[in-house]
Amino acid sequence: MQHADFNQFVDGFNRLAKLDLDIGEAVDPDAAMARLMSYSAHVAVGPEIVQSVAHQIALLTFVNIASRFALGGVTVSGLGDVPLLAPWLGKDLKSAVIALGGNVGSKASEAPVVIIGSILSTPPERGCQLTFEGWRGGVVPLGHQRLSECDVTAPAAVLSGAFAAAEVFAILRGEAGAGLRPQGLSVWRPDGDADWFSSMSDGPTLSQLPNHLWVLGLGHLGQAFLWVLAMCPYQDRSAVKLVLQDTDIVTGSTSSTSILTIDGSTGRKTRTVATLFESLGFMTSLVERPFDDGFCRRADDPSILVCGVDNALARSQVEAPGFPLVIEAGIGRTADDFRSVRLHSFPAQRKASALWKAGAIEPDISIGKTPGYNRLKEQGVDDCGLTRLAGTAVGAPFVGGIAGVLMLGQILRLLHGDTLDAVIDFDLRALDARRAVGNSVLTQLNPGFQSCI
């Protein structure tokens, strides 16, 4: 394979297909993609979907995320002629589902099932039940007690859809316990001491939403954050001003992790996201130069910087421009840690420049020794190309979806008088071990807001 052709391949390679290449379960990239093509999922919706915004948000979130790894198809049954209540694009719910990569139809053979709402038919043999209440969302085993699914915040509805996608992925891969355990979080109390199924971890009625934000990085995390924001019940979207900053262009792999990007998109990520958000009624401004210590926040810039970039240098400098509040998150990159999330708020007990040493050199990436890498080497791919592939992140859109909810959750907690967490740290494989450390430095501020509908 020629060098230019291989670079094009890497740019277009699905970031979850790379998982099987890296752990040695795929003999070559085609086999890794074939496994994703064999994955399918089904959603069965109950009558709540007709009148519940939250149930519709959860459905659209699941379809949007799952269609990026269940390449054999995501089908939905029980829709009928349902008006679109969720704040998204489409003339009805069915057209929104199709636009996000789903299909309306019956369950494919062996596909795990996600149940949304109440269904009267016999529960399937494998799958999970999505559920939410207040600021809490997640999944439970089929037939398990559900939350009330009333008085739901939009982030909790998104959270449940993202957790359902994560659980379906685990079921498809045959992971131990998949579909047999409750999995969820409270956006209001994400720490490990809080029981997400208990009302004690819930927050107040959602009444305020942020009006002015600077979003740095429009890939996996940035787009996930913006999806949650778009689902929130704004009274006046035209009053919401978003500064979108990125320098990257959309590649073939972008849509495998970035949930505002559709297959076939081209051009700069800033333009892609801005076009979509303008069509949703938001106001956007674009910054298309690298984020560095040359930036200085002006008086009329947003008070809050939301950062979802994946390089240490930029992260070490997030406090330098002088934003009163920075919400930053990062996710794992390898087959071992791609389901891990670490979120920070600044200012905090430790400075960003201390967490990520400015100018630090990224660790060396060794070439994979698995059968897939060996096959590529036999096909003529040189060490430079193999090293580039080895250094490409494994990425799962459901991980970004959950992280995006918690990033917005920090801002919403601020607007509702709560103290924030300096660090939230968890891995989806071991949620019980999650931890959150309170921010003892950050003081209250008014970042600009409007009331909810």
Side-chain angles (χ1 to χ4, degrees):
M1 186 181 296
Q2 296 297 317
H3 184 73
D5 294 336
F6 188 73
N7 282 339
Q8 185 176 8
F9 154 74
V10 173
D11 286 338
F13 192 41
N14 186 293
R15 294 304 185 241
L16 264 179
K18 187 172 184 286
L19 172 63
D20 281 337
L21 203 66
D22 285 1
I23 64 178
E25 292 191 4
V27 297
D28 57 31
D30 289 341
M33 283 300 297
R35 186 171 187 182
L36 294 187
M37 292 297 297
S38 74
Y39 289 167
S40 59
H42 183 73
V43 186
V45 300
E48 295 90 341
I49 204 74
V50 177
Q51 297 182 325
S52 169
V53 176
H55 285 81
Q56 291 195 9
I57 289 173
L59 170 63
L60 295 180
T61 300
F62 175 80
V63 170
N64 188 4
I65 294 175
S67 63
R68 297 168 192 274
F69 65 80
L71 303 186
V74 177
T75 53
V76 183
S77 62
L79 276 186
D81 187 14
V82 179
L84 180 62
L85 304 178
W88 197 247
L89 302 173
K91 64 181 186 297
D92 52 36
L93 185 56
K94 185 183 297 185
S95 65
V97 164
I98 293 171
L100 290 169
N103 293 290
V104 177
S106 57
K107 171 174 126 46
S109 175
E110 302 302 319
V113 178
V114 174
I115 296 177
I116 300 179
S118 306
I119 63 169
L120 300 177
S121 58
T122 303
E125 292 185 0
R126 65 174 188 159
C128 60
Q129 171 84 49
L130 178 154
T131 194
F132 40 68
E133 180 181 342
W135 295 68
R136 298 168 287 141
V139 294
V140 294
L142 297 172
H144 192 279
Q145 176 189 355
R146 293 153 53 193
L147 295 171
S148 73
E149 299 177 11
C150 297
D151 303 319
V152 187
T153 62
V158 173
L159 188 63
S160 66
F163 264 112
E167 199 69 358
V168 163
F169 181 75
I171 292 170
L172 287 167
R173 295 187 67 82
E175 297 179 5
L180 303 176
R181 68 281 170 98
Q183 288 274 88
L185 288 170
S186 166
V187 182
W188 187 258
R189 288 289 174 264
D191 56 280
D193 293 331
D195 176 7
W196 73 278
F197 223 74
S198 168
S199 60
M200 297 297 291
S201 63
D202 223 337
T205 299
L206 184 67
S207 60
Q208 297 172 347
L209 296 168
N211 245 10
H212 202 186
L213 298 169
W214 190 301
V215 183
L216 170 63
L218 298 175
H220 189 166
L221 285 170
Q223 292 193 24
F225 170 84
L226 289 168
W227 170 267
V228 191
L229 190 78
M231 292 297 160
C232 289
Y234 278 99
Q235 284 194 12
D236 182 7
R237 289 184 168 195
S238 66
V240 182
K241 300 177 182 178
L242 302 172
V243 179
L244 307 176
Q245 182 174 9
D246 204 310
T247 60
D248 291 342
I249 62 171
V250 176
T251 65
S253 68
T254 302
S255 63
S256 66
T257 57
S258 302
I259 62 176
L260 300 180
T261 304
I262 60 173
D263 284 339
S265 297
T266 59
R268 290 185 177 272
K269 291 179 180 179
T270 46
R271 318 288 174 87
T272 298
V273 174
T275 298
L276 173 59
F277 265 69
E278 294 279 351
S279 70
L280 290 168
F282 295 90
M283 300 294 291
T284 65
S285 301
L286 307 185
V287 178
E288 296 177 330
R289 65 185 181 91
F291 183 87
D292 55 31
D293 55 7
F295 269 95
C296 183
R297 178 183 174 270
R298 301 176 305 184
D300 59 345
D301 283 337
S303 298
I304 299 177
L305 172 68
V306 179
C307 175
V309 298
D310 61 358
N311 71 82
L313 179 59
R315 296 166 86 181
S316 72
Q317 297 173 345
V318 292
E319 292 185 88
F323 289 91
L325 172 62
V326 177
I327 304 297
E328 185 277 339
I331 54 182
R333 298 176 51 87
T334 71
D336 293 328
D337 69 2
F338 73 96
R339 281 182 269 206
S340 64
V341 175
R342 181 169 292 172
L343 183 150
H344 298 92
S345 65
F346 299 106
Q349 295 91 313
R350 296 187 66 190
K351 291 187 175 296
S353 57
L355 291 173
W356 302 283
K357 300 296 185 183
I361 299 174
E362 298 289 343
D364 290 336
I365 302 296
S366 59
I367 298 173
K369 303 297 184 183
T370 61
Y373 285 88
N374 292 336
R375 177 71 61 86
L376 288 169
K377 190 166 186 176
E378 292 169 2
Q379 293 174 348
V381 179
D382 60 19
D383 285 352
C384 180
L386 293 175
T387 300
R388 180 170 180 235
L389 177 60
T392 300
V394 174
F398 48 81
V399 180
I402 293 169
V405 170
L406 294 180
M407 292 170 82
L408 180 59
Q410 290 278 80
I411 299 170
L412 297 179
R413 288 167 60 187
L414 173 75
L415 290 176
H416 291 78
D418 194 27
T419 56
L420 305 190
D421 292 310
V423 181
I424 302 172
D425 195 359
F426 64 91
D427 190 307
L428 292 181
R429 296 170 300 179
L431 270 179
D432 288 345
R434 66 189 184 276
R435 68 185 183 100
V437 178
N439 190 322
S440 61
V441 174
L442 186 66
T443 57
Q444 285 291 320
L445 65 114
N446 181 355
F449 61 90
Q450 64 172 267
S451 300
C452 298
I453 293 175

